Amino acid sequence: MPSVVTPQRRSRENSSDDEDSTGGSSTKRARLNLNGDAGPTSQSPILPNGYRSNVSGTLQQESLRAARSQSKHQPGSIVRVKLANFVTYTAVEFLPGPSLNMVIGPNGTGKSTLVCAICLGLGWGPQHLGRAKDVSEYVKHGEQEATIEIELAADSKRHRQNPVIKCNIKRENNKSTFSIDGKPSNKKAVIELCRSFTIQIDNLCQFLPQDKVVEFAAMTPVELLRSTQRAVAPQEMLDMHDELKEHRQKQKTIQAKAQADQDALLNLENRQRMQADDVQRMRDREVIKERVRLLEASRPFPAYRAAKENYDKAKKRRNDANVELIKLRDDAEPSLRAVTVKQAYQRQIEAVTNGRKRIVQDAEKTADDIDRKLQALLSHKGELEAEAEAEKNAGRESRKDITRIQGAIVSLKRRIDEGQPDLDLSGYNERTRAKHKAADEAGQKVMELKRQVTDIEFRGQGRHERILQAQQDLRNLESQAGQRENKLRQVSRDTFDAWEWIKKHQDEFEKQVFGPPMVECSVADPRYVDQIETLFQRNQMLMITCQTKNDFKKLGDILHDRLHLAEINMQHMAGTLADFLPPIDRDELGRYGLTGWALDYITGPEPVMAMLCANVRLERTGVGDRDTTSEQFEMLQNGPIENWVTKRSSYKIIRRREYGPSATSTNVRDVRRANVWTNQPVDMGAKRDLQENIEGWSGEITEFKSEIATANREIEELRAFIRETQEEIRNLQTEKSSKQKVISELRALPTKLAQQEERLAEAQQSISQMRQRLQEITNKQDQVTRERAEAAMDYVVAMEALQARHLELHEAEIMLIEADSDLATLAEKNTAQTELLELREREVEHLDKEVKRLRETAARLVAQVKSSLKLAEQNGDDALSNHLRSMSQTQTSEELEEEIESEKARLELMHEGNDRGVIKEFEAREKRISALESNVEALREELDQAEAMIQGVRDRWEPELDRLVGLISRSFGENMKEIGCAGEVGVNKEEDFEDWSIKILVKFRETEPLTPLDSHRQSGGERAVSTIFYLMSLQSLTRSPFRVVDEINQGMDPRNERLVHRRMFRFRNRRKRRRQHIERWTDNNTIPVFSHYTEIVARVDVCARDAGVVYCEWGIYAGKGGEG
């Protein structure tokens, strides 16, 4: 028998249920053989439960028998799986048998890798595995490409040889490429080939990876029914189920629509009955309203007849008045002629008078213009006199300036003749520099002394602060809080500095900020101080608590950015202590051997306690004063308490809920001695050191004060010397400046002399120009005098002409008065005759207007009549047209209005409302009722058709489903009976086919009835056993050529593992029809001894690659180092 190369199991510190890594970035070490290297070895693998190769001879004999009697693979079953650089394998080849195949081995040996290879190699994606999302992560670490090659058993009717599917996975672009029988293909073609063999990788009842076990357990009964049908029923069953769902959904839609239409129909009919009487009254009201409309539309007809009659009468009266007026005018004509002549004369005189008034106004305007000219000339003369006086005053000032300038010139010439004084500038500058140098040296000495004083004061301040800190440390040594702060400073200087800053700036925050629990909290009972401190980690002891988010952000910015503190632990705690409740009452802790919760033994501010509960879970951690017994430990392990601490140990229960309630582990740690919340005696050595330091620093401060006093005296002496030197410098500068000023002035005298001589020439020239301007002003005054004399003569002529025009105007006005008087006398004689004539003229004028108004009214009314008739004909309003043509010709407007008012009174007696809207609504509702009746009838026919279709499909689908589920139930019951339990499977039939589901009933104890399988009634192990038996019950009915269940024993205890294992082999031995089945067990420690199942081995094949595998018809033995 060839040697077997088996993978070495990698060591782990903690046992885990996770399988081999699927990520390409995994850092797994190379698997070694028994000799410690990665090459082949001649030793046989170690068998399960520690048995070595003492049975290898038997295995070889069984292998030979199997070779002579090979079984045939079902079409589509897996014949061979070859991997290269896939996950943990460099190169390996699996040859599964045609029936049950078991892959057994401890964690991390590559069992799930085979499952992953089957899924990805047959074209399905990694989402069906529940592990890595990208296929590139399945490439072995350090490699760029992985290869999966799967050979499927051929269907002799369709294939000449076994189809070989090859999948290449590239890490670089995260893509997969496929080929079928060596020819390039694509993922779609590969999946279509697999589906032609009824391979269902996407059905958890057929292909159950390790990471999908939880998802399978969470399947609803409805989902389980569909997965079961996919596994054991033909596609026609699924199609019929989908068709039933679709028909049922359509039936529900039709029923809902029919019910809605029926309800709407009843509602509309009720509303019709309720409104029938009101609608009849409204229709009667509409008749009356129509009568009122016709009557109101006929108003123009009687009005026109009345207007026509009034027009004829007014026209006759006007003609009579015209005849009478003409006769009256003929009688009065002689008397009125004299008045007319006198009126013409009066108008002529009035026109002459008005003309002479305009002439007088023109003459007055001319005289006014001449007068304004005289006034302007007089004003101009005054201005010239003022200008001449100003020139004379300027001349007098110029003569005074000439006298002053001449005196200044004489003075400047005399000073120039005197000469300039002597000045030694170098001597002055030398003495000034010497004084400045002495003052600067004294100033530098002052600055140096000041720096010395500042340095001494700084050192003195440092000594003073050390004394204060040492005094505070002395006081702290004698108080418990001080001891904790000293401890905080020793443990974390950054946290101590932060807490010192917070205490000084509490008023800058919205709410109080609390210090670390090391200083804020204390243990109430010293007996439990060791247990309590054991629960805390270092960062939790140093945690600073903020009550608002703003305070948390502000404090973080200050401590990190401003104070540059590195080791800072902070937390925002918005909740209260009332939010944290223990799992059970304290009174119940006694039966667990605990005295209370950890929260009961710690005191401190409520926000700090809430923070500790959130981080340390004090309210859920029990505390005991003695070790727990084994019975108490068992109760705690199965109870609601996950953490507790005793006098010597602390315990933490870790539960893996995905593997059931029994999947737990316990972490145990020793209780450490407390070093924070302890009452320690005062350290006398530290106290003595502090006192000695205080005395030494006080002596140094006294010496510093003496040095500062000496330096200050020297500074005062130097400052006095500097002041004297500066005064001497100022005196020298003043003397030098005065002499320099005299010299500068003497040097400027020639320039000043030239300036004064220039000013003298300008002043003399100004006197000459002034004389010329005075002569010009005198000439202008003479011209103004001549113009004034001429204007005075013109004014006299204008006034004489104005006087003559006034006389002519007075003559015309006298003649107008005489004409008016004569006209008034004649008019008074003919007053009566004139008034009568005017009265008749006004009557005729009034009658003309009346005739015109009545004619316009009649014309407007006849237009309205014609318009009404025309509009009625255009609109097809026959009722109005007939009414207008048939109305009485003798009816007056008053009679018509009385009839309209009568009809309106009838309307007011009837109900008023939205008549037209209600009637239209009533008529529209009648149409809707008719349409709904037709719809309801049509929907009833559709319901009958849908019911017939559902019944037809159901009659074909339901019996077959009952038969299949009955077979599954019988097999499931037999499996459960073999382990001393009971079970059955049925179909839960609801009204909607979407809600039909699988109902699994189990009983694990004699005293219990059959109960539904769920997470509330059965334990995790019981559910695991029931699940695997259900899957086994599907095996004989399944249509898929192979099934895969990864980690079949997940959640089972050792007893259930052996029961299921034994039942599985018995179940397979009894079945004549073989289907390929691959199952993976988690750990060989729970598998029966090898000799228990070697007797059923039918064929053994061995293939040596980078990892070795032993293949059996009924089982696969794979691994080394105890793997199987």
Side-chain angles (χ1 to χ4, degrees), residues 66 69-72 95-102 1074-1077 1096-1101 1111-1116:
S69 59
Q70 293 184 359
S71 299
K72 185 179 180 182
L95 302 173
S99 189
L100 177 63
N101 294 264
M102 279 191 177
R1074 291 175 178 174
R1075 293 281 180 186
Q1076 192 178 43
H1077 194 83
I1096 62 171
V1097 174
R1099 192 186 100 225
V1100 177
D1101 296 327
Y1111 303 91
C1112 314
E1113 180 184 15
W1114 302 108
I1116 298 178

Side-chain angles (χ1 to χ4, degrees), residues 63 283 307 413 526 545 594 652 675 677 911 968 971 1074:
S63 175
R283 285 175 174 170
K413 289 180 178 180
T545 304
L594 304 176
K652 182 177 182 179
N675 59 359
W677 291 319
H911 175 70
I968 295 170
S971 177
R1074 291 175 178 174

Side-chain angles (χ1 to χ4, degrees), residues 512 514 545-547 573 575-577 604-612:
Q512 183 179 356
F514 295 95
T545 304
C546 299
Q547 300 188 69
M573 192 64 211
T576 63
L577 192 57
E606 182 174 330
V608 180
M609 300 299 291
M611 181 274 294
L612 293 177

